[in-house]
């Protein structure tokens, strides 16, 4: 069965690969990018099955207008993929205010506004699927990525809540949590200026690892994209898709650690209720 997809951030990475695979199999794609010419080759190859709009994810009014236009011109849209985003690296106190605001406006507020804009249309058509690209960093944390994690933990909480709000309308939401993957995430990573104070901390270690290119990244983006496409066939929608051995190990360790800490504090937690 052919579907119509709306995907943000399609000029590279998961968005580009997903758009390419979907068009190749005969689906329609409404793709948003900052520079429409970035998809010129796909437009020439697939014609009207590729709908392109320029979109800046920090512009909430533009997000709503673009989503409304896509539904108006294409009719039913089956799957929304909230993919646009980027990484920011640096110790929390090293980051500039503008870097923090831009990241939150893109990764968190932009994703929230995209989902909010799509919900009335999906509700009206009595169903649809939303895939929110998060990260292993939505459930665990590395030093130096505090603000990136803030956006990913934030969008995961938002999706967890909205999923419960709209389930009765036939709308399913899935969080996609890739670990280190061979995309161009690193190339688009924004970094702060480093300071001597953090040179001999885990942040400094990661700075040096980035500059030396010493990370062994094994995640296969092609396999992940195919799993994302296959997930829309599943009913009910999977709550999470964890991608990669590194992501599985890091998330499992983080969850086990939090559960152990919760159990260690059980007596203190239960003692906080009003006495009978």
């Amino acid at each position: 069965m052919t579907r119509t997809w709306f995907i943000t951030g399609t000029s590279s990475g998961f968005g580009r690969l997903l758009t390419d695979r979907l068009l190749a199999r005969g689906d329609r794609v409404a793709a948003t990018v900052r520079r429409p010419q970035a998809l010129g080759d796909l437009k020439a190859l697939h014609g009207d099955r590729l709908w392109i709009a320029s979109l800046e994810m920090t512009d909430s009014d533009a997000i709503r207008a673009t989503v409304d236009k896509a539904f108006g011109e294409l009719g039913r849209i089956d799957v929304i993929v909230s993919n646009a985003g980027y990484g920011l690296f640096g110790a929390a106190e090293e980051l500039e205010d503008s870097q923090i605001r831009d990241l939150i406006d893109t990764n968190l507020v932009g994703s929230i506004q995209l989902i909010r804009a799509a919900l009335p249309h999906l509700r009206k058509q009595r169903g649809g699927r939303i895939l929110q690209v998060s990260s292993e960093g939505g459930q665990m944390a590395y030093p130096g990525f505090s603000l990136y994690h803030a956006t990913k933990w934030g969008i995961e909480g938002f999706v967890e809540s909205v999923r419960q709000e709209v389930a009765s309308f036939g709308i399913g939401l899935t969080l996609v949590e890739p670990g280190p993957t061979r995309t161009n995430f690193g190339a688009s990573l924004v970094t702060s200026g480093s300071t001597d104070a953090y040179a001999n901390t885990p942040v400094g270690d990661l700075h040096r690892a980035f500059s030396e290119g010493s990370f062994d990244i094994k995640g296969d983006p092609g396999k992940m994209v195919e799993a994302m496409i296959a997930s829309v066939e599943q009913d009910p929608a999977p709550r999470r898709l964890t991608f990669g051995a590194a992501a599985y190990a890091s998330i499992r360790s983080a969850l086990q650690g939090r559960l152990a800490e919760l159990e260690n504090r059980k007596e203190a937690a239960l003692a906080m209720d009003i006495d009978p």
Side-chain angles (χ1 to χ4, degrees):
M1 133 178 220
T2 60
R3 289 184 170 87
T4 300
W5 301 62
F6 183 102
I7 308 171
T8 61
T10 58
S11 62
S12 62
F14 284 119
R16 169 72 187 217
L17 186 55
L18 186 57
T19 299
D20 196 4
R21 296 279 176 94
L22 291 169
L23 291 170
R25 77 178 206 152
D27 285 0
R28 290 193 305 172
V29 177
T32 75
V33 286
R34 285 182 170 179
R35 298 177 298 103
Q37 59 268 32
L39 298 179
D41 57 330
L42 294 182
K43 183 65 175 177
L45 186 61
H46 298 286
D48 290 342
R49 286 195 295 109
L50 177 59
W51 184 95
I52 303 173
S54 176
L55 181 61
E56 172 56 62
M57 292 301 294
T58 60
D59 187 337
S60 295
D61 290 338
I63 291 172
R64 284 189 288 270
T66 301
V67 170
D68 290 346
K69 184 178 181 182
F71 274 93
E73 295 184 7
L74 299 176
R76 182 182 178 89
I77 295 178
D78 303 288
V79 187
I80 306 293
V81 183
S82 177
N83 168 71
Y86 65 96
L88 174 62
F89 176 79
E93 68 172 290
E94 296 177 331
L95 300 173
E96 298 176 6
D97 290 350
S98 60
Q99 291 176 320
I100 294 171
R101 175 51 58 193
D102 287 345
L103 184 79
I104 292 174
D105 284 349
T106 300
N107 287 14
L108 180 56
V109 179
S111 296
I112 288 171
Q113 296 291 41
L114 175 67
I115 292 172
R116 279 168 31 85
L119 286 177
H121 297 283
L122 299 178
R123 188 165 42 76
K124 183 178 179 180
Q125 69 186 26
R126 299 301 299 175
R129 191 66 61 88
I130 298 173
L131 303 183
Q132 173 62 55
V133 178
S134 178
S135 163
E136 64 169 345
Q139 296 203 63
M140 49 75 66
Y142 294 108
F145 284 94
S146 57
L147 267 298
Y148 177 75
H149 289 302
T151 65
K152 293 305 182 182
W153 285 58
I155 197 61
E156 294 223 356
F158 176 79
V159 169
E160 286 279 11
S161 180
V162 173
R163 176 189 295 112
Q164 300 170 67
E165 297 172 1
V166 301
S168 63
F169 302 125
I171 302 170
L173 288 88
T174 297
L175 286 158
V176 180
E177 298 175 334
T181 307
R182 293 182 181 180
T183 62
N184 61 345
F185 176 84
S188 63
L189 183 67
V190 176
T191 60
S192 69
S194 59
T195 62
D196 291 342
Y198 287 91
N200 296 316
T201 71
V203 176
D205 293 341
L206 281 174
H207 260 300
R208 286 184 287 276
F210 285 137
S211 63
E212 296 166 1
S214 58
F215 291 105
D216 184 16
I217 298 176
K218 297 181 179 180
D220 184 332
K223 290 181 179 179
M224 296 178 187
V225 162
E226 291 299 328
M228 290 168 65
I229 295 171
S231 75
V232 304
E233 304 287 349
Q234 301 175 36
D235 188 20
R239 293 177 61 176
R240 283 179 168 79
L241 300 174
T242 301
F243 290 153
Y248 174 82
S250 66
I251 292 174
R252 185 173 187 269
S253 176
L255 293 176
Q256 287 179 323
R258 289 206 295 276
L259 182 59
E261 186 173 6
L262 177 66
E263 291 303 318
N264 287 340
R265 300 292 301 170
K266 179 180 177 180
E267 291 185 10
L270 297 184
M272 295 300 108
D273 288 349
I274 296 173
D275 292 333

